[in-house]
Structure formats: C-alpha cells, structure tokens
Amino acid sequence: MNADTRTIGFIGLGHMGGPMAANLVKAGHRVIGFDVVPDVLAAAAGAGVEAAGSAVEAATTADVVITMLPAGRHVLDLYRNEGLLTAARPGTLFLDCSTIDVADARSAHEAAVAAGMRALDAPVSGGVVGAEAATLTFMVGGAQAEFAEAEPLLAAMGRKAVHCGAGGAGQAAKICNNMILGISMIAVSEAFVLGESLGLSHQALFDVASTASGQCWALTVNCPVPGPVPASPANRDYLPGFAAPLMAKDLGLAANAARAGGVPVELGLKAAELYAAYAAGAGAEADFSGILQTLRGGTAPEHGSGPRNDAKGGTPS
Ligand code: NAD
C-alpha cells in the first residue's frame, strides 16, 4: 500500500456501486463494503471488496464513506437513524454518489457536518457502462478542500469531476442537466413523429437537424428512431442505455425542486409527467428514447433509410 491508499467504506453495491467499488480496489484502495442484499455483497467480494456485516461496520475504520443508494430516504436513514455518522471517526469524509433530492442532499450534508464529519454530494452521469469502465462524470457539491481530497478517488471511478458549488450543488447540476435531456428527447421524438406524418424520412430529418439548430445529444447520439445512428438503443428494440424509470426519477427530482422553489419549469413538469406514465407502463424496462413510441401512439414502424453514424457514443446518466 502506498501513502495515497485510503480505507473506504462503500455502502450500496448495486448496478453502479458494485463496479465503482471494484474500480477503487483496482486502484489499490482498501474497500470495506456493505449491501443489504447478500448476493450483491458476495458479488462485490468477488471483485476484492471486503464484506462487512453492516453499514456501520463498513464505516467504522474508513477514511472515506461512499454511499450509492436508491433515494434520499436511504441516505438520510443511514446517516441519521442507523448510526453511520456516530460510528465513523471524527472528520471522516462522507461522499454520497446517489441521485437524490437537492433538499435531501442538503439535509445529509448538514447532518454530517453537525456530527463532526465532512461531506460532499457527488452524483454521477455515465450509467452502468461508465461505472464499469471508470468513465463516469461526477458533479460535486461541497467545500473545495474536500473536493480536492476526493479527486483521486473520483479519478479511479471516472474521467471527469466538476466542482459545482456548495453542498447540494452536485445534485442540482445533475437534475438540471437531465431536465434538459428529458425535454430534448421528447422534442426530438415529437419532431420525428410530425415528420412521419408529413412524409419526411427519418434520415432526411436527421441529416438536416443534426447539422442545423436542432442538433443535440438526444438526436445525434441517442437518436430515438432506428437507422440514422446505428449505436442508438432504437436499433436494438430500445434496450437501455439509460432506462426510462431512471429518467422519470430524475425528472421527478427536478419537479420537486422546481415546486419547492416556485420555479415555473412548465416543460420540465410536462416531461416529468410524460416520463412517469411511460416508465410505469410500456417503458418500464426500455431506454428513455422509447418514449417516441408512446408519442406516436403505437409501435414504431421501420422508417429509417439506411445506417449512418457521425455521432460520438456515450450514456448520459
Ligand atoms: P441499485 O438498486 O442497483 O443499487 C442500489 C443498492 O443499494 C442495492 O444493491 C440495494 O440493495 C442497496 N441498498 C439499499 N438500501 C441499503 C442500505 N440501507 N444499506 C446498504 N445497501 C442498501 O441502483 P443503481 O442503479 O446502482 O443506482 C444507484 C444510484 O445511482 C441511484 O440513486 C440512481 O439514481 C443513481 N444512478 C444510476 C444510474 C444507472 O444507470 N443505474 C446512473 C446514474 C445514477
């Protein structure tokens, strides 16, 4: 072990947390992990994570405690009710990488600091593929000194980390970005559906919009119709990719924040409504670009006019 090696308590070893913890092990860190699902914990142990018997046990000897959990209530419950903040050594850095409500992130940050700990919110973009390949982007909220301390760990799990401001700013950046993405995917999908009704081929609309003012990630990378971008999920029956329920979750968080602040994000609220309905039905296991099919009111016919790809790949979230 060299001087930069840290002991990390990693709580939540699911689709994202599992590979992130494995990448910290690969970078030479000691990772003590915990998950409430025994099979998930066993899989992480197979990747070199030391299995703890509880979250508290994982935190007790850690320099840094990372959480990668489903929602704010899980993070706050561990911090406040399950004794994580009292079990850790004073000054331990708590790094929450889950995507949670901005208000919950601020509460978690305050609870950690009140308990004598240090805290950062660091939600991610890049999906499971990015977690496995250590190519995630981290959006980080908290003090500069803590950000600087966390950077080597973030570098072991991702390729970019942006310091967005004070506690909660990472979550704010994440939901604002994904609100742009959700709205723009609906806009692109509606344009293709309208184009279809006007007799316009998918390829023609793609060729124009991808090099004109309609250009955006939802069109050029995650194109919601099959054909123009061969790597997009539309070409593999909308297999995710970025799953529609995760988009629905993120838009719900954006809607919560907008309502709490009285901010009139009309398109954001409409996108949240459309994605909630899609994720609860046909899109439960689909990529978020599959929403085009519900906007069309049926199943997508094959309208593309031959493969072509001049876009860069990637996964947004
Ligand atoms: P997941 O459900 O696969 O993993 C969450 C893990 O937390 C589960 O294994 C669960 O058993 C565990 N867990 C729940 N409560 C716990 C507790 N009290 N103690 C210990 N473990 C507990 O979810 P995921 O896809 O890994 O996502 C994790 C977070 O990352 C979410 O907030 C999600 O929104 C966000 N995110 C996910 C993706 C993605 O593509 N999956 C992308 C970006 C961000």
Side-chain angles (χ1 to χ4, degrees):
M1 287 196 183
N2 63 45
D4 296 329
T5 300
R6 315 297 307 270
T7 298
I8 298 155
F10 205 119
I11 299 160
L13 298 162
H15 292 97
M16 298 293 290
M20 289 165 71
N23 283 327
L24 289 168
V25 171
K26 276 187 212 155
H29 300 286
R30 180 179 179 209
V31 182
I32 305 172
F34 179 68
D35 196 288
V36 286
V37 177
D39 287 352
V40 170
L41 184 56
V49 172
E50 294 174 39
S54 67
V56 161
E57 189 186 319
T60 307
T61 56
D63 303 312
V64 179
V65 175
I66 300 180
T67 40
M68 193 52 167
L69 297 162
R73 67 178 187 283
H74 301 96
V75 178
L76 288 173
D77 190 46
L78 278 169
Y79 277 26
R80 288 174 175 160
N81 306 329
E82 291 201 28
L84 213 59
L85 295 177
T86 45
R89 296 180 301 202
T92 298
L93 180 59
F94 277 72
L95 184 66
D96 180 37
C97 295
S98 329
T99 302
I100 67 175
D101 252 314
V102 177
D104 286 345
R106 289 181 179 148
S107 298
H109 190 95
E110 283 164 17
V113 170
M117 306 297 163
R118 297 170 304 133
L120 293 171
D121 52 296
V124 305
S125 164
V128 176
V129 172
E132 287 170 350
T135 55
L136 294 171
T137 293
F138 290 88
M139 294 146 270
V140 187
Q144 175 61 38
E146 275 84 45
F147 175 67
E149 182 180 336
E151 271 189 308
L153 300 180
L154 302 179
M157 299 183 284
R159 72 172 156 213
K160 189 172 180 189
V162 181
H163 187 212
C164 300
Q171 298 292 348
K174 162 100 186 172
I175 61 168
C176 289
N177 177 71
N178 280 14
M179 190 174 82
I180 296 172
L181 179 61
I183 293 171
S184 59
M185 180 54 80
I186 291 169
V188 168
S189 297
E190 286 191 344
F192 275 113
V193 172
L194 177 61
E196 287 168 7
S197 79
L198 298 172
L200 191 59
S201 78
H202 292 161
Q203 192 65 51
L205 178 54
F206 179 85
D207 288 346
V208 171
S210 64
T211 53
S213 45
Q215 191 273 339
C216 61
W217 192 95
L219 174 72
T220 59
V221 178
N222 219 77
C223 188
V225 292
V229 179
S232 81
N235 297 286
R236 46 175 205 272
D237 208 17
Y238 297 100
L239 195 72
F242 181 35
L246 287 172
M247 175 52 87
K249 172 191 171 177
D250 292 355
L251 287 169
L253 296 176
N256 288 348
R259 287 195 192 99
V263 184
V265 292
E266 289 185 35
L267 292 183
L269 294 180
K270 188 65 190 173
E273 187 190 307
L274 290 172
Y275 268 106
Y278 180 54
E285 294 182 6
D287 186 77
F288 80 119
S289 59
I291 199 163
L292 175 137
Q293 294 174 299
T294 54
L295 296 172
R296 187 191 277 131
T299 306
E302 298 294 321
H303 261 271
S305 53
R308 200 192 96 172
N309 185 6
D310 47 14
K312 292 186 176 64
T315 316
S317 188

